[in-house]
Amino acid sequence: MNNSADKTEQRMSPFVEIMDSTLRDGEQTSGVSFLPHEKLMIARMLLRDLNVDRIEVGSARVSDGEMEAVKMICRYARQIGRLESVEVLGFVDGRASVDWIKQAGACTMNLLAKGSLKHCTEQLKKKPEEHFADIKAVVDYAMSQGIGINLYLEDWSDGMKDSPAYVYQLMDALTSMGEGAIRRFMLPDTLGIMNPLQVIEYFRKMLKRYPHVHFDFHAHNDYDLAVSNSLAAALSGARGLHVTVNGLGERCGNAPLSSVQVILKDHFNARTNIVENKLNDISRLVESYSGISIAPNQPIIGDNVFTQVAGVHADGDQKGNLYHNALMPERFGRRREYAMGKTSGRANIARNLQELGLELTPEQTQRVTKRITELGDRKEVVTQDDLPFIVNDVLKHDVEEDKVKLVSYQVSLAYGLKPLANVKVEIGGSQYEGHSSGDGQYDAFVKALRKIYKMYLDRTFPLLENYAVTIPPGGRTDALVQTVITWRRDDGRLLRTRGLDADQTEAAIKATIKMLNMVEKQ
């Protein structure tokens, strides 16, 4: 009975293929260039963990580094039986792109052809018939070499707007080559000019004329419509959508993988092969390699999207999850948090205390709430990690003393010399000293601590995973600096601590001592 219902639901729910272009179009983001081993790590996670249907991993004839990266990815994909999922952008350049792609070990080329009359006549300086003949020659040669072809109609959106007859002429010429010559026709909004109503209109025209063709849609986000246009394409019959992790891409970027996935599932009842609880992991990996930070309010993957701040929200959640929707954090391998500030109220504080296992009387909770409100007025960010320290500071009892205390430290910086740090800490009642040089003042401080933990305690020190420095919103040039440090423990768990001070190094040191106390208490 249940199996029958599942099969019925699958027949009613359309399947949408997801092609990720982070390693090709995403790398066209200004300032982004992935090293070959970084491309391999991203490709592995996309194929193995997220189960993306296809990945576009580079462009033919770009560089020796590009060749090395594509070779590495193809070797890995062949080992796991996913080589046909790896695609490389190629050009209408006779045999050159095909030979490059074959040498790299790939078996699928995404051929870039001109999808508008002005691109054909003004950029190529060719008549349509000449361009069509050149495309056919590349397709024929690729087939003879065992290379499958998908075809981009570059500037298709302008083509449908200004020269639809050219688009149909191109499609007629290429579909006449026979079934299987071109596997997919990929329709890009190259300049990001379309709105959802235009996407629906143009897709329906294409499908009416070519009902048996597999069409992909490739959105750009210049008008902040990439996700909406992608949904419109799926609603209109697109069988594949192109995305990038974190919405990377040229100019304003492409459609973000995470947003497209959840909208397809929740608003279109579509099926994909994406493993949703890995979306946050791939976003953080690409954020690290690309150097492009994820906005805190970015849907699904931003730091703040599962964080309630208003006290009335925490109160409502305690009384029946009144402020929840289908975007549950556990679905994406995350958890809901209740941030603390001047608007949080006792319900928010109580929720965080409960999660930490801290039991306070109503009077004590009120005192802690008052302190957090005061910190919020000063624009300080209060997290659950900070709460035990605030409780300790406010109540001065009922909370275990810090096991790690910074007794003293000195950092020095001189022109032409590496920064030096001398550190004295108290751990479990005993004092230890260490000194070291480093690439910066904070680096020297951390290396001195590592020496103490290794030499005197024979213990490992968590690895620094990420380091971010910001000025609290509304701050001035002399405002407090907030340092947020993410650490990875030996067991793989992540810890995130914050420090706030007028001095950046001091703020980072505060965050480090917080982390060490968390480790000791756990």
Side-chain angles (χ1 to χ4, degrees):
M1 187 95 172
N2 288 336
N3 289 337
S4 176
D6 290 342
K7 290 178 181 178
T8 301
E9 182 181 352
Q10 288 181 6
R11 285 195 299 268
M12 294 177 63
S13 302
F15 178 79
V16 179
E17 206 174 57
I18 300 297
M19 193 275 269
D20 183 275
S21 187
T22 304
L23 300 177
R24 200 277 300 174
D25 212 349
E27 197 177 25
Q28 292 178 198
T29 305
S30 178
V32 172
S33 179
F34 298 118
L35 296 173
H37 80 273
E38 292 175 337
K39 280 198 166 191
L40 176 61
M41 292 300 102
I42 294 170
R44 286 180 61 180
M45 185 172 284
L46 287 169
L47 292 175
R48 180 191 62 192
D49 300 332
L50 263 84
N51 200 31
V52 170
D53 298 291
R54 299 149 49 204
I55 57 173
E56 192 174 43
V57 300
S59 301
R61 303 170 54 204
V62 167
S63 66
D64 292 340
E66 192 85 333
M67 171 65 80
E68 181 186 356
V70 175
K71 282 184 174 180
M72 291 167 63
I73 293 169
C74 288
R75 281 197 297 268
Y76 171 74
R78 187 180 294 108
Q79 291 171 3
I80 64 171
R82 296 289 305 274
L83 184 59
E84 288 196 356
S85 298
V86 176
E87 302 171 2
V88 181
L89 185 73
F91 308 97
V92 182
D93 54 8
R95 299 185 172 190
S97 286
V98 174
D99 290 343
W100 192 98
I101 290 168
K102 186 174 181 180
Q103 182 185 351
C107 64
T108 303
M109 177 167 74
N110 292 342
L111 181 60
L112 188 68
K114 299 303 181 182
S116 69
L117 181 61
K118 63 182 179 182
H119 269 227
C120 177
T121 57
E122 295 178 24
Q123 188 174 35
L124 296 182
K125 306 296 183 184
K126 290 190 174 185
K127 295 178 181 179
E129 293 77 14
E130 293 176 311
H131 185 43
F132 302 163
D134 291 342
I135 296 170
K136 288 182 177 180
V138 174
V139 173
D140 286 337
Y141 180 63
M143 293 175 66
S144 73
Q145 298 299 306
I147 303 294
I149 294 288
N150 302 317
L151 187 92
Y152 273 116
L153 277 68
E154 185 185 13
D155 200 36
W156 168 78
S157 47
D158 265 327
M160 290 299 291
K161 179 183 174 184
D162 300 327
S163 53
Y166 168 85
V167 176
Y168 300 144
Q169 187 183 1
L170 171 62
M171 288 294 302
D172 290 342
L174 298 180
T175 53
S176 68
M177 295 185 71
E179 186 177 352
I182 296 175
R183 298 172 181 175
R184 302 173 182 87
F185 286 83
M186 305 190 295
L187 310 179
D189 180 16
T190 303
L191 300 179
I193 62 171
M194 301 177 78
N195 63 52
L197 294 178
Q198 291 171 316
V199 173
I200 292 170
E201 177 190 353
Y202 296 159
F203 249 91
R204 287 179 177 174
K205 287 180 178 179
M206 296 292 285
L207 283 164
K208 184 177 180 179
R209 291 180 67 102
Y210 312 101
H212 302 300
V213 170
H214 177 123
F215 286 117
D216 281 2
F217 181 63
H218 181 104
H220 278 266
N221 204 36
D222 296 70
Y223 281 94
D224 203 19
L225 289 171
V227 175
S228 299
N229 287 342
S230 296
L231 177 61
L235 289 168
S236 303
R239 290 164 62 182
L241 295 177
H242 296 190
V243 298
T244 59
V245 177
N246 301 342
L248 293 182
E250 200 165 21
R251 304 185 311 277
C252 299
N254 295 27
L257 166 60
S258 53
S259 296
V260 168
Q261 164 62 24
V262 299
I263 288 177
L264 283 176
K265 184 173 181 179
D266 294 359
H267 290 271
F268 187 38
N269 195 33
R271 293 179 294 113
T272 71
N273 286 323
I274 300 297
V275 180
E276 290 187 335
N277 63 12
K278 298 297 182 180
L279 287 170
N280 192 58
D281 293 342
I282 188 66
S283 291
R284 298 301 164 186
L285 180 68
V286 171
E287 178 185 42
S288 174
Y289 286 162
S290 68
I292 304 296
S293 298
I294 301 169
N297 61 340
Q298 177 75 20
I300 314 304
I301 55 174
D303 277 345
N304 295 348
V305 296
F306 298 116
T307 301
Q308 304 278 32
V309 177
V312 65
H313 292 172
D315 181 64
D317 286 347
Q318 287 180 335
K319 296 173 180 176
N321 294 330
L322 301 181
Y323 291 90
H324 287 191
N325 57 23
L327 298 176
M328 301 297 287
E330 294 78 13
R331 177 177 165 187
F332 309 107
R334 302 183 63 183
R335 66 183 184 90
R336 193 172 303 281
E337 297 180 2
Y338 295 88
M340 291 165 285
K342 63 182 180 181
T343 64
S344 56
R346 278 185 295 179
N348 234 352
I349 311 301
R351 185 75 177 241
N352 281 278
L353 289 169
Q354 181 182 2
E355 290 186 6
L356 288 171
L358 295 173
E359 295 184 9
L360 301 183
T361 67
E363 189 272 336
Q364 291 171 333
T365 302
Q366 180 63 38
R367 289 166 60 190
V368 171
T369 302
K370 182 180 178 182
R371 174 59 61 86
I372 290 172
T373 302
E374 292 170 354
L375 291 169
D377 281 333
R378 290 162 48 193
K379 298 197 179 294
E380 293 194 28
V381 176
V382 179
T383 69
Q384 192 179 84
D385 296 334
D386 299 318
L387 195 51
F389 298 93
I390 294 172
V391 171
N392 187 27
D393 183 51
V394 171
L395 304 182
K396 301 298 183 185
H397 59 78
D398 297 332
V399 179
E400 184 181 354
E401 277 194 24
D402 290 347
K403 292 187 177 181
V404 180
K405 297 179 181 178
L406 182 60
V407 178
S408 64
Y409 76 92
Q410 180 181 19
V411 291
S412 61
L413 182 65
Y415 180 75
L417 298 174
K418 277 195 168 187
L420 300 172
N422 292 290
V423 179
K424 180 186 288 187
V425 291
E426 182 178 310
I427 305 173
S430 300
Q431 292 191 0
Y432 306 95
E433 290 188 37
H435 62 275
S436 180
S437 62
D439 294 327
Q441 291 175 303
Y442 176 65
D443 184 54
F445 176 86
V446 170
K447 285 181 176 176
L449 276 179
R450 288 188 187 281
K451 281 188 177 181
I452 291 172
Y453 269 71
K454 184 176 181 180
M455 291 174 58
Y456 298 112
L457 303 177
D458 193 26
R459 288 172 54 187
T460 57
F461 192 96
L463 293 174
L464 194 151
E465 185 86 4
N466 195 27
Y467 181 103
V469 179
T470 60
I471 295 175
R476 304 176 305 279
T477 53
D478 60 348
L480 293 173
V481 173
Q482 177 182 262
T483 304
V484 183
I485 307 180
T486 304
W487 311 85
R488 184 178 294 276
R489 299 184 59 174
D490 289 343
D491 58 9
R493 285 189 296 168
L494 295 179
L495 298 175
R496 185 179 288 122
T497 53
R498 290 169 167 82
L500 201 73
D501 197 86
D503 179 78
Q504 177 180 327
T505 301
E506 180 70 20
I509 288 171
K510 286 181 178 179
T512 305
I513 298 301
K514 282 185 181 181
M515 176 274 294
L516 293 175
N517 275 290
M518 289 172 63
V519 171
E520 292 295 328
K521 290 175 182 178
Q522 291 173 7

